[in-house]
């Protein structure tokens, strides 16, 4: 994987450092307070993605419709509702990552599904958008070359008056791979188009 961390923790993109060394990224998170991410499909650029390995969805419970942080008690209530949705979904995610602002779920494809999906971006994009609509996820965080937060790292927004939060993979996550046909079936009836609210942002 390619890992990224911000030299200036106040800036998410403009000061990103790229590395293939996880220890370097983790040191930046621990010592410098940097956020640490990874490219989910392994490619920094679209042309570098050789295969879609999973579908994913960011379920953001941390902010209101104006992009302002919600109270921790409200965040916990919204996260509980997201967890109910996740547990009730017919195809359990391989990983559920607990972040300060919600959950990031991954459905990792089995070998046959990887061969089937391959580099079919249109098919894969449709699944991504259907997941967003099913869960009420963040439609701006579904790109093929999307970065997501590395689990077991610190989320820090001290300059916004927020306490640090240690992200983790939920204990119930099995890591079990999924069949893409099962995922497609579970999303039957969901629209393959999304509306982006400019006031919202991803974790």
């Amino acid at each position: 994987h390619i890992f990224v961390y911000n030299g200036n923790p106040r800036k998410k993109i403009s000061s990103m450092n790229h590395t293939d060394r996880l220890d370097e990224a983790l040191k930046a998170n621990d010592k410098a307070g940097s956020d640490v991410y990874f490219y989910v499909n392994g490619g920094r650029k679209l042309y570098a993605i050789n295969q879609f390995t999973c579908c994913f969805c960011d379920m953001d419970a941390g902010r209101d419709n104006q992009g302002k942080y919600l109270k921790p008690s409200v965040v916990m209530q919204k996260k509980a509702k997201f967890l109910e949705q996740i547990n009730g979904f017919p195809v359990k995610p391989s990983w559920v990552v607990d972040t300060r602002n919600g959950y990031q779920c991954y459905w990792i494809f089995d070998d046959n599904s990887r061969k089937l999906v391959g580099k079919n971006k249109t098919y894969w994009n449709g699944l991504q958008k259907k997941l967003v609509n099913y869960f009420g996820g963040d439609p701006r965080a579904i790109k093929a070359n999307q970065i997501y937060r590395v689990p077991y790292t610190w989320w820090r927004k001290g300059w916004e008056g927020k306490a640090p939060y240690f992200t983790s993979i939920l204990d119930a996550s099995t890591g079990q791979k999924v069949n893409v046909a099962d995922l497609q079936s579970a999303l039957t009836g969901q629209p393959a188009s999304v509306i982006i609210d400019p006031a919202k942002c991803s974790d």
Side-chain angles (χ1 to χ4, degrees):
H1 279 292
I2 301 172
F3 302 97
V4 292
Y5 62 92
N6 40 7
N8 181 349
R10 289 174 180 257
K11 297 180 180 180
K12 184 173 182 178
I13 298 298
S14 61
S15 64
M16 281 296 188
N17 299 290
H18 290 76
T19 179
D20 60 359
R21 293 181 58 92
L22 180 57
D23 58 341
E24 176 186 335
L26 293 179
K27 183 178 179 181
N29 177 251
D30 186 47
K31 304 297 184 184
S34 299
D35 291 303
V36 178
Y37 307 92
F38 73 106
Y39 287 91
V40 180
N41 277 308
R44 180 177 176 183
K45 302 293 184 181
L46 292 177
Y47 65 78
I49 297 174
N50 297 317
Q51 188 179 65
F52 293 113
T53 60
C54 66
C55 281
F56 45 87
C57 185
D58 180 26
M59 302 166 198
D60 191 354
R63 300 174 188 260
D64 62 18
N65 290 334
Q66 284 72 48
K68 296 180 180 179
Y69 281 107
L70 298 168
K71 295 179 180 179
S73 59
V74 177
V75 174
M76 292 303 295
Q77 291 174 4
K78 293 186 70 174
K79 287 177 74 172
K81 290 182 179 179
F82 275 135
L83 204 54
E84 286 182 11
Q85 280 188 288
I86 294 167
N87 291 333
F89 190 59
V91 183
K92 297 295 183 287
S94 309
W95 295 346
V96 179
V97 177
D98 176 26
T99 74
R100 188 271 182 195
N101 283 350
Y103 296 108
Q104 293 175 341
C105 293
Y106 302 81
W107 289 264
I108 302 171
F109 298 149
D110 59 25
D111 292 341
N112 288 334
S113 297
R114 290 192 185 200
K115 293 176 184 177
L116 176 66
V117 179
K119 295 177 71 174
N120 189 336
K121 185 180 177 183
T122 300
Y123 176 67
W124 180 85
N125 270 336
L127 292 174
Q128 287 287 95
K129 292 174 181 178
K130 289 182 177 185
L131 281 169
V132 163
N133 287 319
Y134 184 95
F135 288 103
D138 185 349
R140 302 200 307 180
I142 60 173
K143 299 186 297 294
N145 60 338
Q146 185 69 44
I147 59 172
Y148 267 14
R149 189 175 298 275
V150 174
Y152 305 108
T153 61
W154 287 100
W155 177 99
R156 292 190 179 95
K157 295 289 185 293
W159 58 90
E160 294 182 338
K162 306 302 174 186
Y165 191 93
F166 192 67
T167 63
S168 62
I169 298 176
L170 294 187
D171 290 340
S173 299
T174 64
Q176 185 173 349
K177 296 178 181 179
V178 305
N179 186 286
V180 72
D182 294 336
L183 186 60
Q184 180 179 347
S185 177
L187 294 168
T188 299
Q190 294 297 321
S193 60
V194 294
I195 299 174
I196 296 177
D197 184 344
K200 289 200 151 193
C201 65
S202 68
D203 178 67

